[in-house]
Amino acid sequence: MTVVETTKNPPTGIAEFWFYFSRNKGAVIGLAVFLIILFMAVFAPFVAPHDPSIQNREMLLLPPVLSEGGQASYLLGTDAVGRDIFSRLIYGARFSLFIGVIVVTLSVISGVLVGLVAGYFRGKVDTVIMRVMDIILAFPSLLLALVLVAVLGPGLVNAMIAISLVNLPHFVRLTRAAVMTERAKDYVIASKVAGAGTLRLMFLTILPNCLAPLIVQATLAFSAAILDAAALGFLGMGAQPPTPEWGTMLAEAREFIQRAWWVVTFPGLAILITVLAINLMGDGLRDALDPKLKRS
Amino acid sequence: MSLLEVENLVVEFQTASGPFRAVDGVSLKVNAGEVLAIVGESGSGKSVSMLAAMGLLPWTAKVTADKLTFNGRDMLAMSDNDRRKIIGKDIAMIFQEPVASLNPCFTVGFQIEEVLRFHTDLGKKARRDRAIELFNAVGIPNPEERLGHYPHQMSGGQCQRVMIATALACNPKLLIADEPTTALDVTIQKQILDLLMRLQAEHNMGLIIITHNMGVVAETADRVIVQYKGRKIEEADVLSLFESPKSAYTKALLSALPDNATGDRLPTIAEFLTDQQIFEGAVR
Amino acid sequence: MTGGSKTFGPPVFQRKKGLAPMLRFIFGRLAVLIPTFLGVSLIAFSFIRLLPGDPVMLMSGERVMSPERHTELMNQLGLDRPMYVQYFDYLGGLLTGDFGSSIVTKRPVLDDFVNLFPATLELSLCAIILAVALGIPAGVLAAVKRGTWLDQTIMGSALVGYSMPIFWWGLLLIIFFSGYLGWTPVSGRISLMYFFPQVTGFMLIDSLISGQAGAFKSALTYLILPTIVLATIPLAVIARQTRSAMLEVLGEDYVRTARAKGMSPFRVIGVHALRNALIPVITTIGLQVGVLLAGAILTETIFSWPGIGKWMVDSVFKRDYAVVQGGLMLIAGMIMLVNLLVDVLYGLVNPRIRH
Ligand SMILES: Nc1ncnc2c1ncn2[C@@H]1O[C@H](COP(=O)(O)OP(=O)(O)OP(=O)(O)O)[C@@H](O)[C@H]1O
Ligand SMILES: [Mg+2]
């Protein structure tokens, strides 16, 4: 077990990172799928065969192309008001990825700040912060998000704010734990002795050394955010119709569950594939970034 | 007939960077009542060769040997099931890290009685009595009470005593002690070694002691095998090894003893020997 | 980390069979819970006051009212008192079991909770049992067969389960098993044909007690799909966690010792390794309670399962904010209690904490 070619210092080069990342086949597949989804999202107006909101009254609940009665121009069929499902899914990717990015950015930035403060100063500040995080964690995340959205009013932006808040404790705890282990290490003490200021110590000395677990957690939060946003949409508390958000599409499709399986199947499949791709990447990132797991 | 006979043992590990030969053509014999010491620096394949003899290596290891018999029975050809009836009973092994070698989730009593349950037909009460007897034999005070303790409640030396008691539970014919004292305090080391030697003499066991420590060798062994990078460099009885070492490597090892150090630091082997010089004098 | 080679001394030096250390441990935990409880109650309290709109209207549920009526209600609901008085009043209510009353039905929130909770509990228990019963063996198997196709299949499925939007998964199962095969019903807890009094609140048990032919089977068919849906994510998490814990444990020295004692692989893995691997897994299972309740919100909505998840969602939509407030408090309180229980259980399986 010890004969693996180990380099002692944490990953420095992109090359080494890629070496470990690419050894995980799933991660590479996840990355590829994610890039495809990203491409479709960015270039949605060019990729999508139809306008996502145009209702074709002649083509209500048209089945997908491969089943009986399908039409080639409507690859995945149409929904109850004759909109092209495929195009709506492509536009939906925009929302999901956007939600993921915003939520992760919000919760990472605030979580890391709060966690740094808690882990660096310890004492009362720490206690108060951690108690507040405990309080957030005492609620089931979706319930808290649901209630927050009820307070703020349904909608995409409020859903994102709510999900960010629900995600916050994980980043705070992680940063705090990492800071506390790093703080006691020699290099931090050395720079302290050398006269480095508090802010400099926190951001330039300690933070870069806690990045690996944060990146892995950020990937997890990204996929969780997509799931939560879709769930809120499904419950009618996220994006509002006719927005082509995947969860919202599912909510609209529910009543056709017995008549038109495709209206229900494809939006969920889109969520699953996206989330799965991100989680696969997350596993690969963990392998590549976490030196402790770099064996076998 | 020797107790354990090994001829031309080769162990190869599959690793991420291709096959790795940890033991390369080692042969050895141990008789009943004999103490064999295996010395060699870290990574020289001492543990791996003994684990191979017991069939305890992970599946990534490929073990081959011209001969590997215990008490005349072929250990390589034997089914796993049959081998398990021998190891733990007739061959027992104790390890370097006594605390880590005991399961933290079970009491030491459970762990010693477990061996008796699997290898003997003793009843519950008889097993407990035997465990108490064993604890007494290895010098653990208050055995009745100690049996109910968890490993983390005991010191390293106590844990090693528990390991020894467990190994002795079924009166093994051969005991393999893999660096039994390395992890212990100096004062405790001596006690444990004395205990091992006393028990070995009492039961007329074969004993293989793996060590880095030439002092331990001098104190305990009848015969010595010197190993380097998976190969046997020299084999001799303990007196002739210390008096007239044949290979350059053994000489170097002996001169690395603190007693023989000149100047204010200890020399390292690599400072004055190349691999080639070492293997030249090697025996097979 | 006490002990050592003491040769004399009181024979029962650390043989502490009594409950005292455990109780002290539990009280310690409770002490930490108090600030959390206060915080949670503060959130539940502020919730209604943060809502957009007039709290008097929100709390009375009346849409139009004269200024006189407004003042009257304000006084009646105690909203004209200073905030902190209102909060302490609320807190006092909580401690005496007063979680407010529904604006719509006027029933006490606690009564509804107590009525609906068994349905959620039954569903969650079945789900967690399913998740543990499948997840632990799957994780162990994957660890033992590490690197093989079996490992890859198990871990691949676990990742799919972990990534699953369960509200969609539920719909898919309904399409297939209820719609296409016609095997299972779509909503509710038991067929309307059967009627019997609630004894335990668990439909499976009550149907047995009722002695009505076919009632148990009916309850089971209603339960099965929601259970699968709710179990999906915990199952995946438990399988992944078990595998990694097991891999770690399998490399430990004491596993080698067990093998050196001649124990069968079954015993080495199933007793020596698993017992240690379960320690982190139990924490994971404990953490799934929050996940389960979040999942229950979706699962109960899809299957019209009359539990607290559906109750909360319905209340949000009906703007019955008093119920939302009380429900939040009750659910958070329950999660805190379960976490406490998990801590205690953790202490029980891990001798290093117990002593
Ligand atoms: N499971 C394994 N997979 C791959 N290589 C292994 C494995 N176990 C041992 N090795 C390698 O085999 C070589 C011999 O190891 P071994 O443990 O026998 O050394 P040793 O002589 O006992 O050293 P020490 O004195 O440190 O215990 C080492 O280089 C080690 O890295
Ligand atoms: Mg060794």
Side-chain angles (χ1 to χ4, degrees), chain B residues 56 84 88 95 100-101 103-105 110-111 114-115 118-119 145-146 150 153 158, chain C residues 2-5 11 253-254 256-257 259-261 263 265 267 272 276 351 355:
Chain B
L56 291 180
R84 281 199 297 273
F95 302 97
S101 297
N103 194 325
C105 279
F110 173 90
Q111 297 184 54
E114 183 184 44
V115 186
F118 276 77
H119 293 297
E145 185 203 328
R146 282 287 174 175
Y150 289 89
Q153 296 172 286
Q158 296 276 0
Chain C
T2 51
S5 35
D253 284 358
Y254 53 78
R256 186 183 57 191
T257 307
R259 300 207 304 137
K261 292 200 288 193
M263 302 291 128
R267 189 171 168 91
H272 286 268
N276 285 278
H355 293 280

mmCIF file of all heavy atoms in Angstrom, chain B residues 56 84 88 95 100-101 103-105 110-111 114-115 118-119 145-146 150 153 158, chain C residues 2-5 11 253-254 256-257 259-261 263 265 267 272 276 351 355:
data_model
loop_
_atom_site.group_PDB
_atom_site.id
_atom_site.type_symbol
_atom_site.label_atom_id
_atom_site.label_comp_id
_atom_site.label_asym_id
_atom_site.label_seq_id
_atom_site.Cartn_x
_atom_site.Cartn_y
_atom_site.Cartn_z
ATOM 1 N N LEU B 56 -1.680 -14.941 5.243
ATOM 2 C CA LEU B 56 -2.419 -13.767 5.708
ATOM 3 C C LEU B 56 -2.256 -12.556 4.805
ATOM 4 O O LEU B 56 -2.718 -11.475 5.128
ATOM 5 C CB LEU B 56 -1.963 -13.385 7.117
ATOM 6 C CG LEU B 56 -2.334 -14.352 8.236
ATOM 7 C CD1 LEU B 56 -1.816 -13.845 9.569
ATOM 8 C CD2 LEU B 56 -3.830 -14.534 8.297
ATOM 9 N N ARG B 84 -7.066 -22.462 8.192
ATOM 10 C CA ARG B 84 -7.590 -21.736 9.350
ATOM 11 C C ARG B 84 -7.671 -22.597 10.601
ATOM 12 O O ARG B 84 -7.757 -22.091 11.706
ATOM 13 C CB ARG B 84 -8.960 -21.152 9.018
ATOM 14 C CG ARG B 84 -8.873 -19.888 8.188
ATOM 15 C CD ARG B 84 -10.153 -19.103 8.268
ATOM 16 N NE ARG B 84 -11.267 -19.845 7.726
ATOM 17 C CZ ARG B 84 -11.609 -19.841 6.453
ATOM 18 N NH1 ARG B 84 -10.911 -19.129 5.592
ATOM 19 N NH2 ARG B 84 -12.633 -20.537 6.023
ATOM 20 N N GLY B 88 -3.540 -19.758 14.327
ATOM 21 C CA GLY B 88 -4.265 -19.381 15.538
ATOM 22 C C GLY B 88 -4.236 -20.502 16.557
ATOM 23 O O GLY B 88 -4.427 -20.282 17.742
ATOM 24 N N PHE B 95 2.104 -9.174 16.935
ATOM 25 C CA PHE B 95 2.522 -8.108 16.042
ATOM 26 C C PHE B 95 3.189 -6.961 16.770
ATOM 27 O O PHE B 95 3.228 -6.888 17.993
ATOM 28 C CB PHE B 95 1.320 -7.600 15.253
ATOM 29 C CG PHE B 95 0.657 -8.675 14.452
ATOM 30 C CD1 PHE B 95 -0.456 -9.339 14.941
ATOM 31 C CD2 PHE B 95 1.162 -9.044 13.223
ATOM 32 C CE1 PHE B 95 -1.069 -10.335 14.210
ATOM 33 C CE2 PHE B 95 0.556 -10.049 12.485
ATOM 34 C CZ PHE B 95 -0.560 -10.697 12.984
ATOM 35 N N ALA B 100 -2.924 -1.428 18.562
ATOM 36 C CA ALA B 100 -3.679 -1.438 17.312
ATOM 37 C C ALA B 100 -4.066 -2.857 16.909
ATOM 38 O O ALA B 100 -4.990 -3.051 16.120
ATOM 39 C CB ALA B 100 -2.861 -0.791 16.202
ATOM 40 N N SER B 101 -3.358 -3.828 17.434
ATOM 41 C CA SER B 101 -3.634 -5.211 17.046
ATOM 42 C C SER B 101 -4.827 -5.802 17.772
ATOM 43 O O SER B 101 -5.281 -6.882 17.425
ATOM 44 C CB SER B 101 -2.417 -6.097 17.311
ATOM 45 O OG SER B 101 -1.344 -5.667 16.518
ATOM 46 N N ASN B 103 -8.807 -5.469 18.888
ATOM 47 C CA ASN B 103 -10.002 -4.822 18.374
ATOM 48 C C ASN B 103 -10.590 -3.881 19.431
ATOM 49 O O ASN B 103 -10.952 -4.324 20.519
ATOM 50 C CB ASN B 103 -11.023 -5.885 17.985
ATOM 51 C CG ASN B 103 -12.135 -5.311 17.141
ATOM 52 O OD1 ASN B 103 -12.546 -4.177 17.340
ATOM 53 N ND2 ASN B 103 -12.597 -6.080 16.188
ATOM 54 N N PRO B 104 -10.681 -2.566 19.111
ATOM 55 C CA PRO B 104 -11.124 -1.610 20.127
ATOM 56 C C PRO B 104 -12.579 -1.802 20.558
ATOM 57 O O PRO B 104 -12.978 -1.272 21.586
ATOM 58 C CB PRO B 104 -10.946 -0.251 19.437
ATOM 59 C CG PRO B 104 -10.911 -0.538 17.995
ATOM 60 C CD PRO B 104 -10.321 -1.914 17.851
ATOM 61 N N CYS B 105 -13.360 -2.532 19.785
ATOM 62 C CA CYS B 105 -14.792 -2.644 20.084
ATOM 63 C C CYS B 105 -15.132 -3.816 20.989
ATOM 64 O O CYS B 105 -16.292 -3.998 21.342
ATOM 65 C CB CYS B 105 -15.593 -2.754 18.803
ATOM 66 S SG CYS B 105 -15.856 -1.172 18.047
ATOM 67 N N PHE B 110 -13.224 -11.173 25.551
ATOM 68 C CA PHE B 110 -13.904 -11.691 24.361
ATOM 69 C C PHE B 110 -12.882 -12.137 23.320
ATOM 70 O O PHE B 110 -13.004 -13.194 22.707
ATOM 71 C CB PHE B 110 -14.803 -10.590 23.778
ATOM 72 C CG PHE B 110 -15.426 -10.946 22.463
ATOM 73 C CD1 PHE B 110 -16.654 -11.582 22.417
ATOM 74 C CD2 PHE B 110 -14.785 -10.647 21.252
ATOM 75 C CE1 PHE B 110 -17.234 -11.916 21.207
ATOM 76 C CE2 PHE B 110 -15.353 -10.982 20.052
ATOM 77 C CZ PHE B 110 -16.593 -11.623 20.024
ATOM 78 N N GLN B 111 -11.840 -11.337 23.162
ATOM 79 C CA GLN B 111 -10.890 -11.617 22.096
ATOM 80 C C GLN B 111 -10.030 -12.840 22.380
ATOM 81 O O GLN B 111 -9.592 -13.517 21.452
ATOM 82 C CB GLN B 111 -10.022 -10.377 21.835
ATOM 83 C CG GLN B 111 -10.871 -9.211 21.354
ATOM 84 C CD GLN B 111 -10.079 -7.980 20.994
ATOM 85 O OE1 GLN B 111 -9.161 -8.041 20.189
ATOM 86 N NE2 GLN B 111 -10.443 -6.850 21.569
ATOM 87 N N GLU B 114 -12.462 -15.998 22.239
ATOM 88 C CA GLU B 114 -12.870 -16.299 20.873
ATOM 89 C C GLU B 114 -11.985 -17.386 20.253
ATOM 90 O O GLU B 114 -12.463 -18.302 19.582
ATOM 91 C CB GLU B 114 -12.775 -15.011 20.063
ATOM 92 C CG GLU B 114 -13.214 -15.113 18.639
ATOM 93 C CD GLU B 114 -12.974 -13.804 17.916
ATOM 94 O OE1 GLU B 114 -11.897 -13.205 18.083
ATOM 95 O OE2 GLU B 114 -13.866 -13.388 17.179
ATOM 96 N N VAL B 115 -10.676 -17.273 20.499
ATOM 97 C CA VAL B 115 -9.761 -18.280 19.957
ATOM 98 C C VAL B 115 -10.107 -19.661 20.507
ATOM 99 O O VAL B 115 -10.147 -20.648 19.778
ATOM 100 C CB VAL B 115 -8.307 -17.945 20.335
ATOM 101 C CG1 VAL B 115 -7.356 -18.905 19.653
ATOM 102 C CG2 VAL B 115 -7.983 -16.526 19.983
ATOM 103 N N PHE B 118 -13.144 -21.220 18.935
ATOM 104 C CA PHE B 118 -13.024 -21.757 17.580
ATOM 105 C C PHE B 118 -12.105 -22.956 17.476
ATOM 106 O O PHE B 118 -12.274 -23.793 16.617
ATOM 107 C CB PHE B 118 -12.557 -20.654 16.621
ATOM 108 C CG PHE B 118 -13.701 -19.837 16.149
ATOM 109 C CD1 PHE B 118 -14.262 -18.879 16.976
ATOM 110 C CD2 PHE B 118 -14.268 -20.056 14.898
ATOM 111 C CE1 PHE B 118 -15.348 -18.147 16.562
ATOM 112 C CE2 PHE B 118 -15.352 -19.327 14.485
ATOM 113 C CZ PHE B 118 -15.895 -18.363 15.316
ATOM 114 N N HIS B 119 -11.109 -23.022 18.362
ATOM 115 C CA HIS B 119 -10.115 -24.067 18.175
ATOM 116 C C HIS B 119 -10.198 -25.184 19.213
ATOM 117 O O HIS B 119 -9.464 -26.159 19.122
ATOM 118 C CB HIS B 119 -8.708 -23.466 18.188
ATOM 119 C CG HIS B 119 -8.429 -22.576 17.012
ATOM 120 N ND1 HIS B 119 -8.427 -23.040 15.711
ATOM 121 C CD2 HIS B 119 -8.149 -21.261 16.932
ATOM 122 C CE1 HIS B 119 -8.146 -22.038 14.898
ATOM 123 N NE2 HIS B 119 -7.986 -20.947 15.600
ATOM 124 N N GLU B 145 -10.874 -9.312 36.543
ATOM 125 C CA GLU B 145 -11.379 -7.990 36.253
ATOM 126 C C GLU B 145 -10.896 -7.524 34.877
ATOM 127 O O GLU B 145 -11.642 -6.957 34.094
ATOM 128 C CB GLU B 145 -10.875 -7.061 37.350
ATOM 129 C CG GLU B 145 -11.402 -5.674 37.250
ATOM 130 C CD GLU B 145 -10.488 -4.697 37.964
ATOM 131 O OE1 GLU B 145 -9.862 -5.092 38.965
ATOM 132 O OE2 GLU B 145 -10.395 -3.565 37.493
ATOM 133 N N ARG B 146 -9.654 -7.804 34.587
ATOM 134 C CA ARG B 146 -9.053 -7.340 33.338
ATOM 135 C C ARG B 146 -9.741 -7.899 32.102
ATOM 136 O O ARG B 146 -9.778 -7.258 31.055
ATOM 137 C CB ARG B 146 -7.562 -7.722 33.303
ATOM 138 C CG ARG B 146 -6.714 -6.807 34.135
ATOM 139 C CD ARG B 146 -6.580 -5.479 33.447
ATOM 140 N NE ARG B 146 -5.880 -4.520 34.271
ATOM 141 C CZ ARG B 146 -5.556 -3.305 33.846
ATOM 142 N NH1 ARG B 146 -5.886 -2.936 32.628
ATOM 143 N NH2 ARG B 146 -4.923 -2.487 34.624
ATOM 144 N N TYR B 150 -11.522 -3.019 27.899
ATOM 145 C CA TYR B 150 -11.284 -2.783 26.481
ATOM 146 C C TYR B 150 -9.819 -2.416 26.281
ATOM 147 O O TYR B 150 -9.181 -1.886 27.197
ATOM 148 C CB TYR B 150 -12.184 -1.654 25.989
ATOM 149 C CG TYR B 150 -13.627 -2.073 25.909
ATOM 150 C CD1 TYR B 150 -14.478 -1.940 26.989
ATOM 151 C CD2 TYR B 150 -14.119 -2.656 24.745
ATOM 152 C CE1 TYR B 150 -15.798 -2.352 26.919
ATOM 153 C CE2 TYR B 150 -15.432 -3.066 24.659
ATOM 154 C CZ TYR B 150 -16.266 -2.917 25.750
ATOM 155 O OH TYR B 150 -17.555 -3.337 25.668
ATOM 156 N N GLN B 153 -8.186 0.741 27.542
ATOM 157 C CA GLN B 153 -8.031 0.940 28.980
ATOM 158 C C GLN B 153 -6.718 0.362 29.489
ATOM 159 O O GLN B 153 -6.462 0.388 30.679
ATOM 160 C CB GLN B 153 -9.196 0.291 29.729
ATOM 161 C CG GLN B 153 -10.541 0.920 29.407
ATOM 162 C CD GLN B 153 -11.668 0.122 30.009
ATOM 163 O OE1 GLN B 153 -12.012 -0.958 29.541
ATOM 164 N NE2 GLN B 153 -12.265 0.649 31.049
ATOM 165 N N GLN B 158 0.697 -4.031 28.565
ATOM 166 C CA GLN B 158 -0.413 -4.911 28.944
ATOM 167 C C GLN B 158 -1.052 -5.516 27.700
ATOM 168 O O GLN B 158 -1.378 -6.703 27.655
ATOM 169 C CB GLN B 158 -1.480 -4.105 29.699
ATOM 170 C CG GLN B 158 -1.020 -3.543 31.019
ATOM 171 C CD GLN B 158 -1.154 -4.570 32.131
ATOM 172 O OE1 GLN B 158 -1.596 -5.688 31.885
ATOM 173 N NE2 GLN B 158 -0.752 -4.200 33.323
ATOM 174 N N THR C 2 -7.128 5.521 30.807
ATOM 175 C CA THR C 2 -6.528 5.257 32.097
ATOM 176 C C THR C 2 -5.989 3.845 32.078
ATOM 177 O O THR C 2 -5.764 3.268 31.037
ATOM 178 C CB THR C 2 -7.566 5.391 33.217
ATOM 179 O OG1 THR C 2 -8.679 4.613 32.858
ATOM 180 C CG2 THR C 2 -7.942 6.824 33.429
ATOM 181 N N GLY C 3 -5.825 3.281 33.243
ATOM 182 C CA GLY C 3 -5.379 1.891 33.281
ATOM 183 C C GLY C 3 -3.885 1.857 33.479
ATOM 184 O O GLY C 3 -3.298 2.714 34.119
ATOM 185 N N GLY C 4 -3.253 0.861 32.902
ATOM 186 C CA GLY C 4 -1.831 0.714 33.116
ATOM 187 C C GLY C 4 -1.601 -0.498 33.986
ATOM 188 O O GLY C 4 -2.513 -1.246 34.304
ATOM 189 N N SER C 5 -0.365 -0.684 34.370
ATOM 190 C CA SER C 5 -0.056 -1.935 35.059
ATOM 191 C C SER C 5 -0.177 -1.770 36.558
ATOM 192 O O SER C 5 0.788 -1.859 37.287
ATOM 193 C CB SER C 5 1.347 -2.388 34.679
ATOM 194 O OG SER C 5 2.180 -1.262 34.503
ATOM 195 N N PRO C 11 -10.377 -3.257 43.679
ATOM 196 C CA PRO C 11 -10.618 -4.140 42.551
ATOM 197 C C PRO C 11 -11.629 -3.566 41.547
ATOM 198 O O PRO C 11 -11.577 -3.879 40.375
ATOM 199 C CB PRO C 11 -11.164 -5.418 43.201
ATOM 200 C CG PRO C 11 -11.571 -5.030 44.586
ATOM 201 C CD PRO C 11 -10.731 -3.878 44.963
ATOM 202 N N ASP C 253 -4.826 -3.123 11.893
ATOM 203 C CA ASP C 253 -4.056 -4.243 12.443
ATOM 204 C C ASP C 253 -4.943 -5.313 13.078
ATOM 205 O O ASP C 253 -4.671 -6.500 12.976
ATOM 206 C CB ASP C 253 -3.080 -3.726 13.504
ATOM 207 C CG ASP C 253 -1.879 -3.041 12.872
ATOM 208 O OD1 ASP C 253 -1.830 -3.030 11.630
ATOM 209 O OD2 ASP C 253 -1.019 -2.530 13.603
ATOM 210 N N TYR C 254 -6.008 -4.863 13.767
ATOM 211 C CA TYR C 254 -6.796 -5.864 14.487
ATOM 212 C C TYR C 254 -7.550 -6.795 13.546
ATOM 213 O O TYR C 254 -7.915 -7.902 13.934
ATOM 214 C CB TYR C 254 -7.751 -5.214 15.497
ATOM 215 C CG TYR C 254 -8.648 -4.156 14.929
ATOM 216 C CD1 TYR C 254 -9.780 -4.477 14.200
ATOM 217 C CD2 TYR C 254 -8.367 -2.809 15.129
ATOM 218 C CE1 TYR C 254 -10.598 -3.493 13.689
ATOM 219 C CE2 TYR C 254 -9.183 -1.822 14.619
ATOM 220 C CZ TYR C 254 -10.300 -2.173 13.901
ATOM 221 O OH TYR C 254 -11.097 -1.193 13.386
ATOM 222 N N ARG C 256 -6.120 -7.957 10.832
ATOM 223 C CA ARG C 256 -5.073 -8.942 10.583
ATOM 224 C C ARG C 256 -4.966 -9.908 11.764
ATOM 225 O O ARG C 256 -4.830 -11.124 11.581
ATOM 226 C CB ARG C 256 -3.741 -8.218 10.355
ATOM 227 C CG ARG C 256 -2.599 -9.133 9.952
ATOM 228 C CD ARG C 256 -1.318 -8.356 9.818
ATOM 229 N NE ARG C 256 -1.017 -7.662 11.076
ATOM 230 C CZ ARG C 256 -0.069 -6.730 11.209
ATOM 231 N NH1 ARG C 256 0.649 -6.383 10.166
ATOM 232 N NH2 ARG C 256 0.149 -6.164 12.360
ATOM 233 N N THR C 257 -5.071 -9.363 12.966
ATOM 234 C CA THR C 257 -5.022 -10.239 14.149
ATOM 235 C C THR C 257 -6.142 -11.278 14.097
ATOM 236 O O THR C 257 -5.913 -12.464 14.336
ATOM 237 C CB THR C 257 -5.173 -9.411 15.441
ATOM 238 O OG1 THR C 257 -4.199 -8.381 15.419
ATOM 239 C CG2 THR C 257 -4.981 -10.280 16.657
ATOM 240 N N ARG C 259 -7.629 -12.449 11.595
ATOM 241 C CA ARG C 259 -7.332 -13.485 10.601
ATOM 242 C C ARG C 259 -6.226 -14.407 11.097
ATOM 243 O O ARG C 259 -6.252 -15.614 10.859
ATOM 244 C CB ARG C 259 -6.947 -12.840 9.275
ATOM 245 C CG ARG C 259 -8.082 -11.958 8.734
ATOM 246 C CD ARG C 259 -8.063 -11.837 7.243
ATOM 247 N NE ARG C 259 -6.809 -11.339 6.740
ATOM 248 C CZ ARG C 259 -6.191 -11.830 5.678
ATOM 249 N NH1 ARG C 259 -6.730 -12.835 5.014
ATOM 250 N NH2 ARG C 259 -5.068 -11.316 5.272
ATOM 251 N N ALA C 260 -5.266 -13.836 11.813
ATOM 252 C CA ALA C 260 -4.174 -14.664 12.338
ATOM 253 C C ALA C 260 -4.668 -15.628 13.401
ATOM 254 O O ALA C 260 -4.003 -16.609 13.715
ATOM 255 C CB ALA C 260 -3.072 -13.768 12.914
ATOM 256 N N LYS C 261 -5.846 -15.328 13.965
ATOM 257 C CA LYS C 261 -6.401 -16.251 14.947
ATOM 258 C C LYS C 261 -7.153 -17.393 14.277
ATOM 259 O O LYS C 261 -7.682 -18.277 14.952
ATOM 260 C CB LYS C 261 -7.348 -15.498 15.897
ATOM 261 C CG LYS C 261 -6.605 -14.516 16.798
ATOM 262 C CD LYS C 261 -7.387 -14.115 18.036
ATOM 263 C CE LYS C 261 -8.548 -13.208 17.739
ATOM 264 N NZ LYS C 261 -9.103 -12.573 18.963
ATOM 265 N N MET C 263 -9.848 -17.019 12.272
ATOM 266 C CA MET C 263 -11.280 -16.770 12.124
ATOM 267 C C MET C 263 -11.667 -16.827 10.640
ATOM 268 O O MET C 263 -10.883 -16.474 9.773
ATOM 269 C CB MET C 263 -11.638 -15.385 12.665
ATOM 270 C CG MET C 263 -11.270 -15.164 14.103
ATOM 271 S SD MET C 263 -12.285 -16.153 15.176
ATOM 272 C CE MET C 263 -11.032 -16.966 16.136
ATOM 273 N N PRO C 265 -13.458 -15.750 7.135
ATOM 274 C CA PRO C 265 -13.652 -14.422 6.546
ATOM 275 C C PRO C 265 -14.990 -13.835 6.973
ATOM 276 O O PRO C 265 -15.107 -12.640 7.217
ATOM 277 C CB PRO C 265 -13.652 -14.696 5.042
ATOM 278 C CG PRO C 265 -12.957 -15.980 4.866
ATOM 279 C CD PRO C 265 -13.158 -16.774 6.127
ATOM 280 N N ARG C 267 -16.557 -14.189 9.741
ATOM 281 C CA ARG C 267 -16.483 -13.635 11.088
ATOM 282 C C ARG C 267 -15.561 -12.424 11.137
ATOM 283 O O ARG C 267 -15.857 -11.442 11.816
ATOM 284 C CB ARG C 267 -15.994 -14.711 12.068
ATOM 285 C CG ARG C 267 -16.120 -14.253 13.492
ATOM 286 C CD ARG C 267 -15.869 -15.338 14.499
ATOM 287 N NE ARG C 267 -15.741 -14.745 15.808
ATOM 288 C CZ ARG C 267 -16.755 -14.560 16.649
ATOM 289 N NH1 ARG C 267 -17.958 -14.947 16.301
ATOM 290 N NH2 ARG C 267 -16.569 -13.994 17.814
ATOM 291 N N HIS C 272 -15.588 -8.594 13.414
ATOM 292 C CA HIS C 272 -14.480 -7.738 13.812
ATOM 293 C C HIS C 272 -14.445 -6.437 13.041
ATOM 294 O O HIS C 272 -14.276 -5.365 13.611
ATOM 295 C CB HIS C 272 -13.159 -8.487 13.665
ATOM 296 C CG HIS C 272 -12.962 -9.514 14.730
ATOM 297 N ND1 HIS C 272 -12.318 -9.242 15.904
ATOM 298 C CD2 HIS C 272 -13.359 -10.802 14.815
ATOM 299 C CE1 HIS C 272 -12.310 -10.320 16.676
ATOM 300 N NE2 HIS C 272 -12.945 -11.279 16.030
ATOM 301 N N ASN C 276 -16.572 -2.177 13.966
ATOM 302 C CA ASN C 276 -15.855 -0.910 13.970
ATOM 303 C C ASN C 276 -16.344 0.026 12.878
ATOM 304 O O ASN C 276 -16.428 1.231 13.074
ATOM 305 C CB ASN C 276 -14.352 -1.150 13.788
ATOM 306 C CG ASN C 276 -13.711 -1.684 15.053
ATOM 307 O OD1 ASN C 276 -13.384 -0.923 15.938
ATOM 308 N ND2 ASN C 276 -13.586 -2.996 15.147
ATOM 309 N N PRO C 351 -16.939 1.947 22.639
ATOM 310 C CA PRO C 351 -16.454 1.837 24.013
ATOM 311 C C PRO C 351 -15.502 2.959 24.380
ATOM 312 O O PRO C 351 -15.360 3.303 25.545
ATOM 313 C CB PRO C 351 -15.743 0.496 24.054
ATOM 314 C CG PRO C 351 -15.830 -0.106 22.723
ATOM 315 C CD PRO C 351 -16.589 0.798 21.818
ATOM 316 N N HIS C 355 -16.317 4.893 28.096
ATOM 317 C CA HIS C 355 -15.535 4.820 29.337
ATOM 318 C C HIS C 355 -14.806 6.116 29.639
ATOM 319 O O HIS C 355 -14.327 6.758 28.772
ATOM 320 C CB HIS C 355 -14.535 3.665 29.227
ATOM 321 C CG HIS C 355 -15.230 2.345 29.189
ATOM 322 N ND1 HIS C 355 -15.698 1.726 30.302
ATOM 323 C CD2 HIS C 355 -15.566 1.564 28.148
ATOM 324 C CE1 HIS C 355 -16.289 0.600 29.957
ATOM 325 N NE2 HIS C 355 -16.234 0.475 28.657
#
